[in-house]
Amino acid sequence: MFRKVKAYFSLSSTMRRLIWEAYLLLGWARIQKARPFAKIAPRLGTAMVETPVTGLSRNQVIEIRNISKAVMLASKYTLWESQCLVMAIAAMNMLERRNIASTLYMGTARNKQGQLMAHAWLRSGKLIVTGADTMDQYTVVGVFGKQCPEKGSGEIVYDS
């Protein structure tokens, strides 16, 4: 326990603030996940639209990586379930607050027993923000792109 507290205080003040922001947004995302999906889907972005893979500044890349770390760290200590979809929604909200576009992907797959599994991950630019560990095992069934205000063009639209 003491080691974890010491590790926390060895982080920069910026990272500590990001962890607290992530913790709060993970809680909000968990509350949202409890609602019917049709109610939360409009807040996830534009359905079947991906944001651009290019166009991030060096500062945005640093910000995205820090947000990714903060969400991963905070999710380990929540008192509620903070798995892939909750993490992706929280990270998307953090990026939106900084006017950084992102795309949330939802995928499905079958396990060895034939049971349906689901996974969600978040991408911003070329960076996978959350859910990278197993995303390659899933077939994309849903995409939600959230543009930042000053970059409304250049999106990739899927035909349904």
Side-chain angles (χ1 to χ4, degrees):
M1 174 74 167
F2 180 71
R3 200 173 345 145
K4 290 181 181 180
V5 171
K6 186 177 176 183
Y8 171 77
F9 283 107
S10 71
L11 296 171
S12 70
S13 61
T14 301
M15 183 55 78
R16 288 195 305 261
R17 279 193 302 275
L18 281 175
I19 290 170
W20 280 108
E21 180 184 353
Y23 192 86
L24 293 172
L25 288 173
L26 285 164
W28 178 245
R30 182 63 184 106
I31 291 167
Q32 294 300 306
K33 185 183 171 203
R35 300 179 67 209
F37 187 75
K39 297 275 188 191
I40 67 165
R43 294 184 185 158
L44 299 177
T46 307
M48 303 311 284
V49 171
E50 283 190 284
T51 56
V53 178
T54 59
L56 294 176
S57 70
R58 181 180 174 97
N59 288 341
Q60 287 175 320
V61 169
I62 292 167
E63 193 79 39
I64 292 165
R65 288 184 176 149
N66 286 339
I67 287 170
S68 178
K69 287 178 196 173
V71 169
M72 300 297 175
L73 282 169
S75 69
K76 293 178 183 180
Y77 298 98
T78 58
L79 302 174
W80 54 87
E81 171 272 318
S82 292
Q83 293 181 0
C84 59
L85 182 58
V86 171
M87 292 170 63
I89 292 171
M92 178 180 261
N93 287 331
M94 291 176 76
L95 291 172
E96 181 181 21
R97 289 179 53 151
R98 290 154 179 86
N99 292 323
I100 300 174
S102 61
T103 303
L104 187 141
Y105 296 88
M106 296 179 168
T108 60
R110 298 223 177 249
N111 64 13
K112 292 177 184 175
Q113 293 77 31
Q115 297 169 315
L116 189 64
M117 303 182 314
H119 184 54
W121 61 97
L122 185 70
R123 177 189 59 77
S124 184
K126 292 180 181 179
L127 304 173
I128 302 300
V129 185
T130 65
D133 50 346
T134 59
M135 66 182 222
D136 294 337
Q137 300 169 18
Y138 293 84
T139 301
V140 174
V141 295
V143 175
F144 294 88
K146 191 166 268 193
Q147 296 288 342
C148 58
E150 62 271 8
K151 293 187 180 181
S153 62
E155 61 217 17
I156 302 167
V157 180
Y158 288 102
D159 291 327
S160 12

